[in-house]
Amino acid sequence: ATILLVIPALMIMVSVLVSAPVNRILQMVFGAVFTVLMLLIAATSFSAWRSFYLFLAVAESMITMIIFWKALKWPRLSLENV
């Protein structure tokens, strides 16, 4: 459970500390891993008292899929644009 709480914080820290190309790759890796973990939690939370976990797992999966997609499609800067 601790790993699930650390991954979003690491994603923020990495985006500030590393270069853009490395950040892009790491955001895609962390985003994909976190999405898979959240979807596994959603798949195992189909009882009435776990509906809270199901909702959060689906919401977090959607957010991390968007992060992955944005990192994948983020425009690359050339030296001419800098």
Side-chain angles (χ1 to χ4, degrees), residues 38-80:
M38 286 294 106
L39 290 174
L40 287 172
I41 289 171
T44 61
S45 300
F46 279 113
S47 65
W49 67 274
R50 290 184 178 176
S51 60
F52 173 78
Y53 293 113
L54 179 63
F55 171 75
L56 285 180
V58 170
E60 289 183 45
S61 296
M62 291 171 41
I63 291 167
T64 54
M65 282 189 246
I66 292 169
I67 291 170
F68 179 86
W69 182 255
K70 290 289 188 178
L72 185 65
K73 296 298 181 180
W74 196 265
R76 295 176 188 243
L77 293 177
S78 66
L79 292 177
E80 298 166 357

Side-chain angles (χ1 to χ4, degrees), residues 20-49:
V22 174
N23 180 34
R24 181 175 189 226
I25 293 167
L26 290 176
Q27 292 295 332
M28 288 189 295
V29 169
F30 282 133
V33 168
F34 195 73
T35 300
V36 169
L37 289 173
M38 286 294 106
L39 290 174
L40 287 172
I41 289 171
T44 61
S45 300
F46 279 113
S47 65
W49 67 274

